[in-house]
């Protein structure tokens, strides 16, 4: 009987899982299912492209609005792949049908509904067709056209007309690495930041979304200089917008190589202040990837930067920046056990085992060592300041040239799977087998939360910029809604939380970026929630109008002391909620 290497790997992983479970080890179990899921594709080396060994990426997002995550993979000199989810654990490549097959020289990609039409669009840092030399002015903004009358979906590249096809017009520079989206000025649309790996020019650029002009052509304006983020010498890999100080306005973090990471505080007037000196140890970091979460459950957002760990010095290593009450950040990576990630690239913070604590997954790979580096998985030991590396014990026995990394819930079963994009090698898809019916595990309750802001123009699409607070009987979690960027890519815009033994969620509060709140109470866990922002803050029956019935709904909630009547978001029911509600009610009735 013939036994395939894949079967041997599966048996080894299953054996490791069984032994670990018997020994009281990790209950988490991943299985590599790339071929079975139909996700086979490979990034191919572009020898003519600058910084090619740093690339290999893609995104996870629901492009066809069926409620299931799809995957876009950049093939570089191979054709791109757009894997549409078949809703049964498998995918079908439809890149050609959608018009994004390429191939072309490329670095990374991100998604956003930049025009708020309900369809996710795609931005790609590209440098021209694969059958010619790399060229400047070839960045792509693919507008999602939605389905036509026959149900066929497609993209149209509008980067040139929108003004985002070139980072430094007037030069012949082929620039662009990572990209991400956020509403930095809180005007209700998504702005774009694009990084570039350039140490001699101010090539990282901020594009403000100005909406359609009189000809219905969508326009972006380069506001890098006026926003105060134009700086020479920043070798940027990836940007991230996220409200780190809870004032509703997102900060801007640029993940940079050779000590050039930058942290810009939003001044709430369209400008930023460079506060990088608040971050411990980034001055020597070769940072490549980022993710953001409240790692230690203190109500303050922290972030993780993947970095290089040299064997000879056991450093400098990954950086885990824990926010302090004064707004500074202390690097806790070494003391917590997550600093040694080899040559780090993509990184995710997620509760993969649903024990209520955030874990960290990281891809690695040094491009002059073709044997590759192992993927690392740091399982949180429970207090947010101690991690145990557990990749092989959890079934991830992967040694590749890892670069991009995205999370997705392929089958909508509640546990989070991982897609790894490898440089000049095939992808690797790891299915998380934590949840029934794949593998029954006790105390693995969960929630996934999405936001729908289509009814209110003052809010950015998908609720980007909102802050979600989830409370159970034993713990409170803060969950930022941001664009989820990762090295060379991005993950779906949503939040996910493991709830351990908690089957009942006492409340979920959504703090919208325009200063309004909605609170939902007494919810059953193990669901995908989509909370819709009403058209008006005073619309309590969510029918996009404000009428007497809304007043009665509010009064009934108030009388029953239900937190859904917490109109000002202070987690109390009192006179001030009445005052604020009456204000919003009058505002809604004004012409």
């Amino acid at each position: 009987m013939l036994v395939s290497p894949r079967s041997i790997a599966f048996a080894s992983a299953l054996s490791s899982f069984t032994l670990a479970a018997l020994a009281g080890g990790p209950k988490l179990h991943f299985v590599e299912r790339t071929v079975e899921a139909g996700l086979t594709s490979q990034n191919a080396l572009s020898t003519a492209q600058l910084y090619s060994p740093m690339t290999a990426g893609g995104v996870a997002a629901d492009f066809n609005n069926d409620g299931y995550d799809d995957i876009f993979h950049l093939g570089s000199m191979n054709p791109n792949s757009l894997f549409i989810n078949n809703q049964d654990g498998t995918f079908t490549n439809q890149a050609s049908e959608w018009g994004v097959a390429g191939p072309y020289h490329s670095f990374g990609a991100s998604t956003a509904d930049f025009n708020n039409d309900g369809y996710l669009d795609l931005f790609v840092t590209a440098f021209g067709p694969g059958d010619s030399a790399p060229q400047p002015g070839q960045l792509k903004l693919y507008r999602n056209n939605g389905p036509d009358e026959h149900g066929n979906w497609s993209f149209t590249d509008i980067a040139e007309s929108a003004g985002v096809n070139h980072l430094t017009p007037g030069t012949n520079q082929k620039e662009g690495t990572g990209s991400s989206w956020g509403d930095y000025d809180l005007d209700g649309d998504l702005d774009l930041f694009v990084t570039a790996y350039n140490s001699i020019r101010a090539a990282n650029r901020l594009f403000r979304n100005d909406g359609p002009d009189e000809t219905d052509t969508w326009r972006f304006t380069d506001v890098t200089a006026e926003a105060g983020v134009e700086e020479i010498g920043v070798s940027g890999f990836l940007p991230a917008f996220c409200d780190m100080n809870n004032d509703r306005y997102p900060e801007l973090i640029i993940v940079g190589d050779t000590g050039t990471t930058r942290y810009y505080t939003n001044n709430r007037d369209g400008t930023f202040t460079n506060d990088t000196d608040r971050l411990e140890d980034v001055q020597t970091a070769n940072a490549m990837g980022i993710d953001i979460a409240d790692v230690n459950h203190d109500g303050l957002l922290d972030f993780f930067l993947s970095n290089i760990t040299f064997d000879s010095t056991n450093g400098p290593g990954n950086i885990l920046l824990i926010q302090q009450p004064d707004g500074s950040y202390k690097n806790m990576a070494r003391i917590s056990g997550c600093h040694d990630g080899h040559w780090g690239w993509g990184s995710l913070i997620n509760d993969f085992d649903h024990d209520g604590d955030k874990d960290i997954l990281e891809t690695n790979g040094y491009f002059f060592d073709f044997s590759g580096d192992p993927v690392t998985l740091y399982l949180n030991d429970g207090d947010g300041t101690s991690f145990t590396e557990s990749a092989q014990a959890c079934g991830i026995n992967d040694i590749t040239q890892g670069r991009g990394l995205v999370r997705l819930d392929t089958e909508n079963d509640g546990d989070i799977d991982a897609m790894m994009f490898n440089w000049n090698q095939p992808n690797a898809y790891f299915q998380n087998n934590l949840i029934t019916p794949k593998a029954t595990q006790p105390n693995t309750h969960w929630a996934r939360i999405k936001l729908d802001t289509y009814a209110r123009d003052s809010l950015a699409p998908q609720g980007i910029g909102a802050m979600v607070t989830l409370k159970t009987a034993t713990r409170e979690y803060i969950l930022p809604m941001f664009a989820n960027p990762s090295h060379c890519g991005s993950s779906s815009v949503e939040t996910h939380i493991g709830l351990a033994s908690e089957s009942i969620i006492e409340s979920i509060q959504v703090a919208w970026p325009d200063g309004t709140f909605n609170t939902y109470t007494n919810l059953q866990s193990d669901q995908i929630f989509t909370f819709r922002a009403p058209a008006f803050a005073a619309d309590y029956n969510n029918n996009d109008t404000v009428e007497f019935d809304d007043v009665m709904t509010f009064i009934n909630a108030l009388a029953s002391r239900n937190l859904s009547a917490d109109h000002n978001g202070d987690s109390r029911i009192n006179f001030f909620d009445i005052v604020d509600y009456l204000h919003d009610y009058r505002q809604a009735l004004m012409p």
Side-chain angles (χ1 to χ4, degrees):
M1 183 177 77
L2 295 176
V3 180
S4 70
R6 186 177 301 278
S7 299
I8 295 172
F10 176 81
S12 174
L14 186 58
S15 175
S16 298
F17 167 71
T18 304
L19 291 173
L22 290 173
K27 60 189 175 186
L28 184 60
H29 178 213
F30 285 93
V31 175
E32 195 267 306
R33 291 194 66 250
T34 314
V35 174
E36 294 90 336
L39 291 169
T40 304
S41 61
Q42 178 169 331
N43 169 277
L45 173 64
S46 169
T47 56
Q49 179 187 326
L50 196 61
Y51 311 124
S52 176
M54 302 176 180
T55 69
V59 301
D62 180 9
F63 289 109
N64 61 355
N65 286 3
D66 65 353
Y68 285 77
D69 291 327
D70 311 303
I71 297 172
F72 174 72
H73 172 231
L74 289 166
S76 192
M77 292 300 91
N78 283 337
N80 303 319
S81 301
L82 179 58
F83 295 108
I84 299 299
N85 196 321
N86 297 323
Q87 303 183 16
D88 61 0
T90 68
F91 295 78
T92 300
N93 184 7
Q94 298 183 15
S96 295
E97 293 89 330
W98 286 61
V100 290
Y104 39 75
H105 305 277
S106 57
F107 195 101
S110 62
T111 58
D113 180 7
F114 77 86
N115 56 355
N116 198 23
D117 65 353
Y119 304 119
L120 283 179
D121 312 297
L122 180 64
F123 184 82
V124 180
T125 45
F127 318 108
D131 57 1
S132 61
Q135 308 163 30
Q138 296 292 318
L139 305 180
K140 296 182 179 295
L141 177 58
Y142 286 113
R143 183 189 63 214
N144 189 333
N145 300 317
D148 63 17
E149 65 273 16
H150 304 293
N152 299 315
W153 294 71
S154 64
F155 285 105
T156 299
D157 179 17
I158 63 164
E160 185 171 3
S161 63
V164 293
N165 65 310
H166 209 314
L167 294 188
T168 51
T171 75
N172 64 351
Q173 298 301 312
K174 303 169 282 294
E175 294 173 327
T177 50
S179 60
S180 194
W181 301 80
D183 185 8
Y184 84 95
D185 50 4
L186 296 196
D187 64 352
D189 55 27
L190 290 172
D191 311 297
L192 171 67
F193 198 96
V194 185
T195 51
Y197 195 99
N198 194 307
S199 60
I200 61 173
R201 276 200 323 282
N204 301 283
R205 311 309 294 177
L206 172 60
F207 295 97
R208 184 185 65 213
N209 189 337
D210 289 334
D213 63 15
E214 62 278 1
T215 66
D216 204 32
T217 301
W218 216 271
R219 300 289 188 183
F220 288 79
T221 300
D222 185 338
V223 294
T224 313
E226 65 186 75
V229 293
E230 186 173 63
E231 185 177 354
I232 295 174
V234 177
S235 299
F237 274 125
L238 180 69
F241 286 106
C242 189
D243 176 16
M244 303 297 293
N245 57 8
N246 200 30
D247 67 353
R248 298 188 288 117
Y249 285 79
E251 276 58 63
L252 171 64
I253 304 171
I254 299 177
V255 180
D257 202 0
T258 61
T260 63
T261 291
R262 295 292 183 267
Y263 182 96
Y264 294 101
T265 299
N266 195 320
N267 297 324
R268 301 186 290 180
D269 61 0
T271 68
F272 293 83
T273 296
N274 187 345
D275 283 325
T276 309
D277 57 0
R278 295 182 181 180
L279 314 183
E280 185 178 36
D281 291 340
V282 299
Q283 297 80 10
T284 58
N286 300 289
M288 274 82 87
I290 187 173
D291 206 358
I292 300 168
D294 178 11
V295 174
N296 59 345
H297 298 293
D298 64 352
L300 301 173
L301 290 179
D302 318 300
F303 62 103
F304 177 84
L305 296 173
S306 59
N307 194 12
I308 299 171
T309 306
F310 295 104
D311 293 337
S312 58
T313 61
N314 193 29
N318 295 327
I319 294 178
L320 177 61
L321 290 165
I322 302 298
Q323 187 171 177
Q324 307 301 300
D326 63 357
S328 64
Y329 293 82
K330 183 175 178 60
N331 180 17
M332 299 293 291
R334 187 178 292 274
I335 194 172
S336 68
C338 63
H339 90 286
D340 186 2
H342 309 286
W343 201 285
W345 298 96
S347 54
L348 298 176
I349 303 176
N350 205 88
D351 186 359
F352 290 101
D353 56 5
H354 290 190
D355 64 353
D357 301 300
K358 298 292 187 180
D359 312 304
I360 301 172
L361 181 66
E362 176 185 7
T363 58
N364 296 283
Y366 178 43
F367 39 82
F368 290 122
D369 179 3
F370 292 100
S371 62
D373 285 327
V375 172
T376 48
L377 172 61
Y378 305 102
L379 291 185
N380 195 317
D381 293 338
D383 60 0
T385 58
S386 179
F387 295 84
T388 300
E389 204 293 303
S390 306
Q392 292 194 36
C394 294
I396 304 179
N397 188 11
D398 190 77
I399 300 178
T400 54
Q401 287 288 344
R403 299 295 185 271
L405 173 65
V406 296
R407 60 176 153 250
L408 68 160
D409 183 359
T410 302
E411 297 171 292
N412 283 353
D413 60 359
D415 52 19
I416 298 302
D417 312 305
M419 184 72 179
M420 302 172 186
F421 303 110
N422 299 315
W423 172 67
N424 211 33
Q425 292 176 335
N427 298 331
Y429 163 64
F430 283 88
Q431 182 187 64
N432 187 339
N433 278 8
L434 182 69
I435 297 297
T436 304
K438 293 179 292 189
T440 303
Q441 294 287 353
N443 299 330
T444 54
H445 294 295
W446 57 275
R448 284 175 54 197
I449 300 169
K450 303 180 181 183
L451 300 179
D452 177 358
T453 55
Y454 192 68
R456 196 187 304 180
D457 290 339
S458 63
L459 300 175
Q462 296 182 279
I464 287 178
M467 189 68 69
V468 177
T469 301
L470 185 150
K471 295 181 181 179
T472 68
T474 60
R475 183 173 277 183
E476 177 175 315
Y477 305 85
I478 62 166
L479 307 167
M481 192 70 70
F482 67 115
N484 285 323
S486 184
H487 182 78
C488 292
S490 63
S491 301
S492 297
V493 177
E494 61 177 67
T495 64
H496 167 271
I497 189 71
L499 297 172
S501 62
E502 301 285 357
S503 61
I504 299 297
I505 300 168
E506 291 188 347
S507 67
I508 297 177
Q509 181 197 80
V510 182
W512 303 105
D514 65 358
T516 63
F517 299 85
N518 286 108
T519 303
Y520 310 88
T521 61
N522 194 28
L523 303 165
Q524 185 71 42
S525 67
D526 307 325
Q527 294 187 62
I528 302 171
F529 298 98
T530 299
F531 296 120
R532 179 178 181 270
F536 305 95
D539 176 18
Y540 264 63
N541 60 12
N542 219 356
N543 64 354
D544 295 338
T545 62
V546 175
E547 54 202 1
F548 184 69
D549 185 55
D550 294 301
V551 179
M552 295 307 300
T553 303
F554 172 71
I555 290 174
N556 290 335
L558 198 72
S560 63
R561 311 294 295 174
N562 191 299
L563 276 177
S564 61
D566 176 24
H567 198 72
N568 62 4
D570 64 357
S571 299
R572 299 180 179 90
I573 302 297
N574 54 32
F575 171 75
F576 297 105
D577 295 301
I578 300 174
V579 173
D580 288 347
Y581 179 79
L582 290 175
H583 172 269
D584 287 337
Y585 185 80
R586 287 194 298 268
Q587 288 289 109
L589 296 180
M590 293 176 62

